[in-house]
Every structure is written in C-alpha cells, then in structure tokens.
Amino acid sequence: MRLNASKYNQHWADKTLSELGDFQRGKSRHRPRNDPALFSGGMHPLIQTGEIKDANLYITTHSSTYNDFGLAQSKLWPKDTLCITIAANIAETALLSYPMCFPDSVVGFNAYAENSSELFMHYVFTYIRRSIQNSATGSIQDNINIDFLTGLKFKIPPKSYQDKIASILSNIDAKIECNQRINAQLEAMIKSLYDYWFVQFNFPDINGKPYKSSGGKMHYDDTLKRNAPESWAIKPLSDWIAKDKTGDWGKDNAEGNYSLIVDCIRGADIDGLNGTGNLAAPTRFILEKNQGKILTPFDFVIEISGGSPTQSTGRLALITSETINRFSRPVICSNFCKAISLKDNSYFFNFAYLWKSAYENKILFGWEGKTSGIKNLLFDAFINKHMVCVPPKNIAQQFFDFVSPMEDKKQKLLQEIDALKSLRDWLLPLLMNGQVTI
C-alpha cells in the first residue's frame, strides 16, 4: 500500500522512505538523562520532542545545552537535519536551523541529495502524520521505531518536482514564521514598556519625564516589602475584577436545553490564542441560560487546571474583537479555565502584563493545589491575597493607548497565520497525491 497512491500520481515512482535518505536515532546514552553532570556549563544545544512539536518549519530555539561530557554520550546533528519524533509527540517534524543534539526519542533524517530533500520529506511526514499516529495508538506508551519509518512506502515524484512542491509549501511556512517573528517582537516591546512603567516605575510624570528617574516621590510599603510611587494604591488583585464568566464544557451534540452552539476554549488552546501554538477549540453545545458567559472584547481566559502533573497552570490569553474574529462561532471558555472581565477596561493591558509577569516569575506556582495528581490554580485564594500597586487611571489609560495598536497588529497577524495554515493544509494533500499539478 502506498500512503499517497491515487489515479493522479500513478506515473510517480514507488519508493520506501529508506531509499530517499539516511534515518538514524538520536543519542542519549547516559542515565539518568537529567544528570546535572551532562549540562553544567553546557554550550551544545539540546532539543526534545516538545520543541519539535512546537516548531512551525524550523527549530529556532533551544532550552537546554549539553557540556562536552554530555555531547560525548550524544551526537551533534547538522543544520537542516529533519527531526522526526517517535515517542510522546509521535510523527511531529521540523528542521534544525543550526546544529543541535536530540535524544533517542527523535530520529534524524538526512536526504540523499540526488533523490530527495529534508524539506520535501518534512511535508511527506506532515501528510502521513495522522496515519502514523493511528498506527501507534493503543500501546502502553504510544511510540514507533525506526524500522517502521524506513519501511513506509510512498509515491515519489522526480526530484525537480519534489523541489517545486517543497517551494510552494515552504513559502507559505516562511510567511507564517515572518508573522510569528513580528508578533514576538511586538510582544517583547510591550513587555519592556510594562516593565519600565510598572516595575521600574518610570511611567511619564506630569512633565512627560520618567517618574522615578526624575525624582518622583516613592515610599516603602510594608505589604509589598518594596518601594512604590507615593500616590499609588495598594490593593488585592481581586479589586480589579468585576465578573466571572467561566463557562461549562457542555455536550458534543444538541440535547434538551444544551442547544447553543459555541467554540469552547480549553487550556490546550491558550497557546494558540497567544500565537505560540495551534488553536483548535472544539465545537460544543451549552445551556441556553449560559449565553451571558459568551466571551466578549476585554475578557481574559486563564488556565486553572493543568492537563498533567507536570503542566503548570496560570497561562493567560486576552480576548479582543480581533481575537473573536478568529472563530466562526460564539466563544466560551471551558470549566478547565477561568474567564473574567474587569471593572475598568482602562486597566486591560495593565492587568494582562501584570498577570503574565506573575506567571513568568513563578509567583503563581505557590498557589497550585492538586486533585488526583492534576494541578489546579487556587485562583480565588490568589487574587484575594496577592497585593499589587494600582496605578492612577490616567497612567493605565496612557499604557492602554500605547499598547492597543500593537495588540491589534498582533491579532491581525494571527488571523493571517490562521488563513495561511488553512491554505497550506488544503494544498498539501492535493500536491502530495498529484491532484494539483505545478
């Protein structure tokens, strides 16, 4: 059986994937794999399956580094190697943008230049990913081996035609990555501005000069255990919040009063809302009486229940009019998240980046409980006890006015990314089975 055989590509050659290049498993021989001796003072990039799954086309960042001892029990793979996950996140692929190591839960593919390319094979695996995942489902820990990969059979066009297919699809992916880079830069700019105004307290004074650096009056607050601007109030985070709009999980199909069809945001969709992952909010039917919980601009969605014992909680997504435009139906948040709105929307971006700062600085980690081994954010306890500086409304409004156009740009680029991904995913099977010719 050829995984892409059709009446349109009968003239293409029958190949096993092993005929197109060299497959080798990654290496991580030392045990335990998290031994600090492997990493102390490291400079050799190391990636894991999750980083391959999170990449779009190229893996451009890494979070761990081996030292020379770590490298000696592993292997440094060259730039443009295709990485294929064979455990945990199965059959996810991405290309190395610079030399990196990876463990034996990942297979590296280097193409025979006259037969194929790593780029084309990335799209082959994208096309057959679901079939591979279905083949692996049901084992104690879903996984595949290298013999399974190399034995897969495919209808392969001539190399020159492979390059045309890869060029079309990779141009779309390049635009997606360009948009993602712009959004990352916009996010970094907003965070820097937030830090300058609300952490360093160099917001504009009445003369437009940086407040603290220009001698603005500060006082030591016993609650916060640090200095704060003299005129700013110190209040619990709950004082900002007007309404809890947390929804429900609803049902798969219409049933009785469960008749209102919505897209339901889960914790798994938070990264997608923020543009760092896939957005795949499922369609659900909720109670008619919960119509008031449909999300509107100036709401927030916060993950309060982690999907596994190792997954943190507290990730936040902003809901704007542009966010809602990414969905084809009304949007509600599931009961695995918390949806809230504020008393004063002037503080919308101020609250957003205050919360993100608490998450990134691990302040929320002290407010997690566990139920059946799953982490849950103690949301009410946190917001009632976490004290913060509350800027005057005019300062919050100035920050809102600065940030609003940047956030609008981010959301429009995310809409464009959604459209590009849909185009790529629509073209991929048509190109791979020869139904569309170039």
Side-chain angles (χ1 to χ4, degrees):
M1 174 183 171
R2 302 299 184 267
L3 292 171
N4 65 327
S6 76
K7 65 181 181 181
Y8 306 103
N9 63 9
Q10 294 178 10
H11 58 292
W12 292 358
D14 292 328
K15 300 279 188 180
T16 58
L17 298 189
S18 61
E19 296 177 74
L20 303 178
D22 182 43
F23 290 83
Q24 293 186 45
R25 289 185 70 167
K27 295 181 180 179
S28 51
R29 294 188 293 267
H30 185 84
R31 298 295 184 272
R33 294 184 180 181
N34 62 349
D35 187 343
L38 298 169
F39 303 97
S40 179
M43 64 181 71
H44 308 291
L46 169 67
I47 57 164
Q48 304 287 348
T49 59
E51 288 161 305
I52 297 169
K53 178 178 173 60
D54 291 342
N56 180 46
L57 178 57
Y58 282 92
I59 304 164
T60 58
T61 61
H62 61 276
S63 56
S64 299
T65 52
Y66 278 142
N67 54 27
D68 288 342
F69 174 65
L71 178 61
Q73 58 84 56
S74 185
K75 175 181 176 178
L76 194 64
W77 294 78
K79 179 180 181 292
D80 291 327
T81 295
L82 178 65
C83 300
I84 309 158
T85 61
I86 60 172
N89 305 300
I90 296 174
E92 301 288 346
T93 58
L95 295 140
L96 298 182
S97 59
Y98 49 87
M100 303 183 194
C101 301
F102 46 78
D104 54 10
S105 56
V106 178
V107 167
F109 171 82
N110 297 111
Y112 302 141
E114 69 278 8
N115 291 346
S116 192
S117 69
E118 292 84 3
L119 187 59
F120 177 74
M121 287 293 286
H122 165 72
Y123 293 112
V124 167
F125 275 100
T126 303
Y127 176 72
I128 64 178
R129 179 181 299 139
R130 185 61 59 84
S131 296
I132 294 174
Q133 291 171 343
N134 289 341
S135 298
T137 300
S139 61
I140 295 175
Q141 178 183 357
D142 292 348
N143 58 64
I144 54 178
N145 59 43
I146 197 166
D147 291 334
F148 176 87
L149 290 181
T150 56
L152 292 172
K153 298 178 180 179
F154 210 77
K155 298 288 285 187
I156 300 291
K159 175 65 166 53
S160 59
Y161 197 80
Q162 293 178 40
D163 292 342
K164 290 180 180 179
I165 291 175
S167 177
I168 289 173
L169 297 173
S170 64
N171 282 339
I172 297 173
D173 274 323
K175 176 56 178 170
I176 291 171
E177 292 193 338
C178 178
N179 285 3
Q180 290 172 333
R181 285 194 298 272
I182 294 171
N183 271 358
Q185 292 166 357
L186 288 169
E187 179 74 5
M189 291 169 60
I190 297 171
K191 286 181 178 179
S192 294
L193 184 64
Y194 172 82
D195 182 72
Y196 193 63
W197 282 28
F198 301 109
V199 178
Q200 301 175 40
F201 299 121
N202 277 317
F203 53 90
D205 65 13
I206 57 174
N207 298 312
K209 296 181 178 180
Y211 179 84
K212 185 178 178 181
S213 298
S214 301
K217 293 182 178 180
M218 305 286 290
H219 78 285
Y220 183 81
D221 184 83
D222 290 330
T223 302
L224 297 177
K225 306 299 182 186
R226 63 187 177 97
N227 288 326
E230 192 173 68
S231 61
W232 288 25
I234 310 299
K235 295 182 179 180
L237 203 54
S238 58
D239 193 68
W240 299 40
I241 298 172
K243 186 178 181 181
D244 183 333
K245 297 178 71 174
T246 304
D248 64 64
W249 183 228
K251 295 184 180 294
D252 291 328
N253 300 295
E255 179 182 317
N257 288 330
Y258 288 88
S259 59
L260 183 61
I261 186 170
V262 297
D263 288 331
C264 193
I265 295 173
R266 312 151 298 166
D269 300 307
I270 297 290
D271 285 343
L273 286 171
N274 290 330
T276 57
N278 292 321
L279 182 59
T283 299
R284 307 291 292 178
F285 290 85
I286 64 169
L287 291 168
E288 295 174 0
K289 69 178 183 179
N290 281 338
Q291 187 165 357
K293 294 184 177 182
I294 289 174
L295 301 180
T296 56
F298 298 106
D299 288 337
F300 296 100
V301 176
I302 301 168
E303 183 182 32
I304 60 171
S305 182
S308 71
T310 58
Q311 181 178 339
S312 63
T313 59
R315 292 179 299 166
L316 173 142
L318 295 70
I319 303 298
T320 69
S321 58
E322 298 293 345
T323 308
I324 292 170
N325 287 339
R326 296 177 67 190
F327 297 88
S328 58
R329 303 176 183 86
V331 186
I332 198 167
C333 119
S334 77
N335 52 350
F336 304 108
C337 298
K338 178 75 71 173
I340 58 171
S341 53
L342 303 181
K343 294 176 182 177
D344 188 337
N345 290 336
S346 299
Y347 290 83
F348 182 63
F349 294 119
N350 193 231
F351 180 92
Y353 285 88
L354 187 158
W355 187 280
K356 289 181 180 183
S357 178
Y359 175 80
E360 291 168 1
N361 290 297
K362 305 186 185 305
I363 293 172
L364 294 175
F365 290 4
W367 297 88
E368 288 182 329
K370 286 187 177 181
T371 303
S372 301
I374 302 299
K375 289 183 179 180
N376 296 284
L377 177 64
L378 305 176
F379 181 83
D380 291 337
F382 175 70
I383 63 171
N384 286 321
K385 293 185 179 180
H386 186 61
M387 306 296 287
V388 297
C389 289
V390 182
K393 180 172 179 175
N394 68 305
I395 299 299
Q397 185 66 53
Q398 284 185 65
F399 185 67
F400 181 95
D401 292 341
F402 270 112
V403 171
S404 187
M406 289 190 281
E407 187 62 36
D408 286 347
K409 177 66 173 177
K410 282 173 55 184
Q411 293 298 327
K412 287 175 181 176
L413 287 172
L414 289 176
Q415 290 181 50
E416 186 174 308
I417 288 171
D418 291 340
L420 288 166
K421 285 181 176 179
S422 294
L423 174 62
R424 179 198 61 197
D425 295 345
W426 175 72
L427 280 173
L428 177 64
L430 301 178
L431 291 167
M432 285 297 176
N433 66 24
Q435 190 171 351
V436 168
T437 57
I438 305 169

